[in-house]
Amino acid sequence: MKNLRVTTTIMAMAFVGLTAMSCKDDQKKDSTATMDSEVSQEQASTSKSNVQNPESQQVLADYMVLKDALVATDEKAAADAGKKLESTLKSIKLDSYTSEQQKELKEIVESATEHAEHIGRSDMAHQREHFQMLNQDVTDMVAITGTANTLYQQFCPMYGEGGAWLSMEKEISNPYFGSKMMKCGEVQKEIN
């Protein structure tokens, strides 16, 4: 009989202890979930979402047309795309960004506009040289504006000291060599 009481007492204490620990874990989970939710809301309110404004979307679209013209080694199409990109860059509005972002974007846009202008009036070799510099500007812009599309940063080590570009396709189509070395390059990273 004494063993039965001891066993019952031990079982009751174990039950109470497990119940208390279980309740404590549930409280931790609730407080962790609340904290995670608050952090997510704070991040959403303080950072820019990855939804581009229409102007930066158009810059990226014009950039892709230019890249494709260089892949095709089509000098006239590349020149036309450079002129279109130049026009788009000149009309971009920056007022939806913070003052610091506006300052950075203004510098990026000025540089990109100059490269697009050169592409619009140059031969293929010069177009590709300016595309290499333009790519850095567009990549920097996307880092600030975000992107509505998945982009692939690709790189060819054979062009000068190496040439990078952005693409909407994972498959390599090299804008620096066109059909001469169409598949030269690799995906360096995915940008979402």
Side-chain angles (χ1 to χ4, degrees):
M1 184 89 156
K2 187 175 177 183
N3 284 343
L4 182 60
R5 277 191 227 161
V6 171
T7 303
T8 305
T9 304
I10 291 172
M11 288 181 72
M13 287 173 45
F15 179 75
V16 170
L18 288 173
T19 304
M21 286 189 335
S22 175
C23 290
K24 188 176 180 180
D25 284 346
D26 285 346
Q27 288 173 343
K28 260 188 195 174
K29 287 177 187 172
D30 289 346
S31 97
T32 301
T34 302
M35 255 177 56
D36 289 346
S37 175
E38 290 170 357
V39 168
S40 293
Q41 289 173 353
E42 184 179 319
Q43 287 173 343
S45 68
T46 59
S47 68
K48 192 109 179 96
S49 72
N50 278 350
V51 178
Q52 287 180 293
N53 68 25
E55 289 95 1
S56 60
Q57 282 181 330
Q58 188 59 51
V59 167
L60 197 53
D62 291 350
Y63 168 91
M64 293 300 168
V65 170
L66 171 59
K67 175 195 64 86
D68 291 343
L70 294 172
V71 167
T73 314
D74 186 336
E75 189 175 302
K76 183 179 180 340
D80 291 345
K83 290 173 188 170
K84 172 77 170 81
L85 179 57
E86 178 186 0
S87 173
T88 301
L89 286 163
K90 286 180 176 178
S91 68
I92 195 167
K93 292 178 180 60
L94 306 176
D95 55 352
S96 64
Y97 299 98
T98 67
S99 58
E100 175 138 343
Q101 289 172 327
Q102 286 179 23
K103 182 181 175 190
E104 287 179 56
L105 284 168
K106 184 178 179 192
E107 291 173 13
I108 291 167
V109 167
E110 286 175 6
S111 176
T113 301
E114 183 180 330
H115 295 303
E117 181 184 345
H118 279 273
I119 291 167
R121 56 184 169 89
S122 301
D123 62 26
M124 182 58 59
H126 201 66
Q127 288 173 335
R128 286 179 167 145
E129 289 172 13
H130 280 279
F131 179 76
Q132 184 178 25
M133 294 176 276
L134 172 69
N135 175 71
Q136 186 60 54
D137 293 330
V138 173
T139 301
D140 291 346
M141 183 191 79
V142 168
I144 296 170
T145 65
T147 177
N149 305 303
T150 297
L151 300 175
Y152 300 95
Q153 183 175 320
Q154 300 176 338
F155 181 78
C156 171
M158 301 297 288
Y159 185 76
E161 293 180 22
W165 69 96
L166 298 174
S167 179
M168 292 181 149
E169 297 86 30
K170 206 172 196 174
E171 183 179 332
I172 302 293
S173 292
N174 190 316
Y176 296 110
F177 292 109
S179 62
K180 290 180 184 175
M181 295 177 74
M182 183 66 69
K183 301 300 174 192
C184 178
E186 65 183 5
V187 174
Q188 287 187 315
K189 71 178 178 178
E190 191 173 309
I191 302 169
N192 292 314

